[in-house]
Amino acid sequence: MGTEVSTSPTSLIDQTVVPGDVVLDLSNMTNQTIKLGSGLFQDNDAISAMRAGKLRYTKPNKYWVESSHKRYIPRPEDAVLGIVVDSKSDNFWVDIKGPQLALLPVLAFEGGTRRNIPKFEVGTLLYVRVVKTNTGMNPELSCTDASGKAAGFGPLKDGFMFETSTGLSRMLLSSPTCPVLEALGKKLSFETAFGLNGRVWVHAAAPRVVIIVANALMNSETLSGTQQRIMVEKLLEKISE
Amino acid sequence: MEIDRVDGRTPNQLRPLACSRNILHRPHGSASWSQGDTKVLAAVYGPKAGTKKNENAEKACFEVIWKPKTGQIGKVEKECEMILKRTIQSICVLTVNPNTTTSVIIQVVHDDGSLLPCAINAACAALVDAGIPMKHLAVAICCCLADNGYVVLDPNKLEEKKMSAFAYLVFPNTTLSVLPEGSSVAEGEPVEHGIITSVTHGVMSVDDYFLCVENGHAATASLSAFFRKNFQQSQRDSSKAG
């Protein structure tokens, strides 16, 4: 028989939680505003976990459950890679690997007016920003940042796109730079775009560079920092022989 | 008087459990669960946009497909699909992704007794792997009643055939909580004492049924602990870089 937890733990922060674990007791915390991120839901006075993952907390008041999946749950201000599936007169329908298709208004570009509407074919890869996500409605996207400038958003030409889990995308986007990217960047020159929805785009002058970078990124999910550097060194050695 | 089981287990002892998640490439969540020789593979796709015709568009919809090891799909499989669908609907939070459909596909790899509980456990693990929001996990167990009134847990195929009656019981898992003991109550009893699904075969008296429920409930603690440990280990393996 498993060991019973006889006394309730005082805090589950930074521990693995499973759906159903009650992580916060609101009756002890009156007069505080708490922000609940993904993976937590409120059941009267108790906050419990909806997903399995690690419970995280940053001051002053943000709690969330961190987990890595193949599907993406859209959140505002996320930069994602979407694929156009249809275009209508008012907006483009874009697939961002979420539960629903997202809408990209035709005028949501820098300097966009009714006269210079961009024409995207079905299958175009776009680097977009999520603007609004309301339950029950399709998420809305935009190709400008909050102040209206292009800031790198828009269609991505050439290159190679592959899909990974959301956890790997978060790791590759973390700062300081991820060790695998540092090690690759020292020897090779390439361009990448990471979407928080688990899509990665790589572009370089030669196809073999693209293949090396893509394989290195796909293999680096479960490796620690030093292991990533060793893997990249071995890959580059093999190639230069 | 002790019951002699063929493989030497005590009446309350479960077969060795094994669970692995994220084993299939295409589905968004997948898991395989085996209890002794019974093994079931579960795959989850979704949530995808749109619901079926007669379903409520303000809630998430679930669809279950049960594939037997051999033979065509018949009434037995449809019944298992319906039981699984109702169980999943009661453990998942349906209001988070309205107007979406999530598909759960169960493939029976080997049936050596206690098949439906094994499938429910596998489906639950696959849903966790896919990140579908859930209120709590479901832990399923098979309890059967021998001729002399003893309750035996987790029978294999031969034992199931010899028993006079058996019941598949599904309970919520035991959860960690920062609340003081006993405060998560629903109508006067702790939430953990609830029961989600119960399917019985054969004839048993009411007292015997409640005895089965008690014994089954006692075993949920070890199943929950196994699930939690399994999940923690896979987290540790995959987050060394984090």
Side-chain angles (χ1 to χ4, degrees):
Chain A
M1 294 279 277
T3 50
E4 299 274 1
V5 179
S6 52
T7 53
S8 44
T10 44
S11 157
L12 289 169
I13 295 180
D14 279 342
Q15 298 222 9
T16 318
V17 293
V18 199
D21 288 346
V22 178
V23 301
L24 278 184
D25 181 12
L26 289 183
S27 51
N28 290 344
M29 310 159 97
T30 48
N31 290 344
Q32 280 185 31
T33 332
I34 302 178
K35 290 192 186 164
L36 296 180
S38 77
L40 293 172
F41 87 114
Q42 183 179 4
D43 190 14
N44 300 331
D45 256 357
I47 310 279
S48 37
M50 280 198 300
R51 292 188 173 168
K54 266 214 173 99
L55 181 68
R56 295 255 183 245
Y57 167 66
T58 57
K59 293 197 172 150
N61 53 5
K62 288 192 206 155
Y63 293 90
W64 74 96
V65 176
E66 201 172 77
S67 50
S68 168
H69 300 291
K70 289 187 189 158
R71 287 298 268 186
Y72 166 67
I73 303 294
R75 295 245 173 259
E77 302 309 317
D78 275 357
V80 296
L81 260 58
I83 297 183
V84 176
V85 291
D86 199 5
S87 65
K88 296 270 179 335
S89 55
D90 278 346
N91 27 42
F92 298 105
W93 290 89
V94 180
D95 160 45
I96 52 173
K97 270 176 89 170
Q100 289 166 327
L101 288 178
L103 297 169
L104 172 62
V106 154
L107 299 174
F109 295 86
E110 182 174 2
T113 61
R114 277 275 156 200
R115 284 167 179 265
N116 57 353
I117 297 177
K119 291 196 179 62
F120 293 137
E121 287 180 354
V122 172
T124 315
L125 185 66
L126 300 170
Y127 185 61
V128 290
R129 177 178 68 98
V130 179
V131 175
K132 266 199 272 187
T133 57
N134 295 325
T135 2
M137 290 167 46
N138 301 69
E140 267 192 38
L141 308 171
S142 164
C143 266
T144 66
D145 62 8
S147 58
K149 303 284 180 195
F153 294 111
L156 295 168
K157 295 200 182 52
D158 301 329
F160 168 60
M161 191 271 297
F162 58 92
E163 305 204 347
T164 65
S165 67
T166 50
L168 178 63
S169 311
R170 276 198 304 262
M171 184 183 82
L172 293 170
L173 280 170
S174 60
S175 66
T177 329
C178 188
V180 69
L181 289 173
E182 263 189 66
L184 284 170
K186 280 188 198 155
K187 299 280 178 62
L188 306 168
S189 79
F190 53 92
E191 198 187 340
T192 54
F194 301 113
L196 280 162
N197 57 344
R199 286 200 174 130
V200 178
W201 174 84
V202 181
H203 180 50
R208 56 187 259 294
V209 176
V210 174
I211 295 173
I212 297 170
V213 172
N215 283 336
L217 294 179
M218 281 196 263
N219 290 339
S220 65
E221 178 156 15
T222 52
L223 304 176
S224 71
T226 29
Q227 284 173 326
Q228 286 173 12
R229 272 183 263 263
I230 298 174
M231 173 197 67
V232 170
E233 276 172 24
K234 280 204 192 139
L235 260 182
L236 293 174
E237 259 171 52
K238 273 196 214 162
I239 304 302
S240 56
E241 272 164 20
Chain B
M1 187 188 72
E2 278 283 310
I3 285 236
D4 289 324
R5 297 178 81 166
V6 177
D7 46 9
R9 286 183 286 152
T10 64
N12 280 349
Q13 193 178 356
L14 307 172
R15 288 178 285 183
L17 301 167
C19 169
S20 37
R21 283 173 299 108
N22 205 5
I23 39 181
L24 299 173
H25 183 61
R26 277 181 187 275
H28 303 130
S30 54
S32 99
W33 185 284
S34 58
Q35 287 175 210
D37 275 337
T38 306
K39 186 163 171 185
V40 175
L41 200 58
V44 171
Y45 288 88
K48 296 177 285 194
T51 48
K52 294 187 161 167
K53 264 188 251 175
N54 297 331
E55 302 275 353
N56 190 354
E58 290 179 29
K59 293 195 176 161
C61 159
F62 287 90
E63 149 188 71
V64 179
I65 299 172
W66 180 288
K67 296 195 182 246
K69 184 174 176 187
T70 53
Q72 290 194 327
I73 298 185
K75 287 186 223 158
V76 174
E77 285 78 29
K78 292 280 179 212
E79 183 187 353
C80 295
E81 283 178 14
M82 188 206 72
I83 296 171
L84 218 74
K85 177 175 168 176
R86 296 246 188 106
T87 308
I88 293 176
Q89 268 175 341
S90 67
I91 59 172
C92 289
V93 183
L94 299 176
T95 49
V96 170
N97 289 322
N99 205 18
T100 57
T101 306
T102 307
S103 311
V104 181
I105 293 136
I106 305 282
Q107 170 71 59
V108 176
V109 176
H110 189 70
D111 178 12
D112 187 32
S114 187
L115 181 62
L116 189 59
C118 193
I120 293 176
N121 290 330
C124 205
L127 287 170
V128 163
D129 191 40
I132 309 288
M134 295 198 276
K135 293 181 223 166
H136 47 74
L137 296 175
V139 167
I141 194 142
C142 176
C143 311
C144 49
L145 206 59
D147 294 328
N148 44 19
Y150 268 85
V151 171
V152 168
L153 291 181
D154 200 18
N156 58 17
K157 198 91 177 158
L158 296 170
E159 286 174 344
E160 242 179 29
K161 289 205 174 116
K162 286 193 288 185
M163 296 297 170
S164 54
F166 57 91
Y168 299 133
L169 301 163
V170 184
F171 301 96
N173 67 332
T174 46
T175 53
L176 292 179
S177 171
V178 292
L179 293 175
E181 294 276 342
S183 32
S184 61
V185 287
E187 294 166 43
E189 272 203 61
V191 175
E192 292 169 356
H193 287 187
I195 187 169
I196 302 175
T197 303
S198 153
V199 184
T200 57
H201 288 253
V203 180
M204 57 168 87
S205 71
V206 174
D207 292 327
D208 286 337
Y209 176 69
F210 283 128
L211 186 61
C212 279
V213 171
E214 253 183 63
N215 283 26
H217 190 77
T220 57
S222 57
L223 277 171
S224 304
F226 167 76
F227 190 89
R228 194 180 290 273
K229 203 172 84 161
N230 186 280
F231 187 74
Q232 271 173 347
Q233 262 177 347
S234 66
Q235 276 259 298
R236 235 176 291 141
D237 291 336
S238 67
S239 67
K240 277 188 219 147

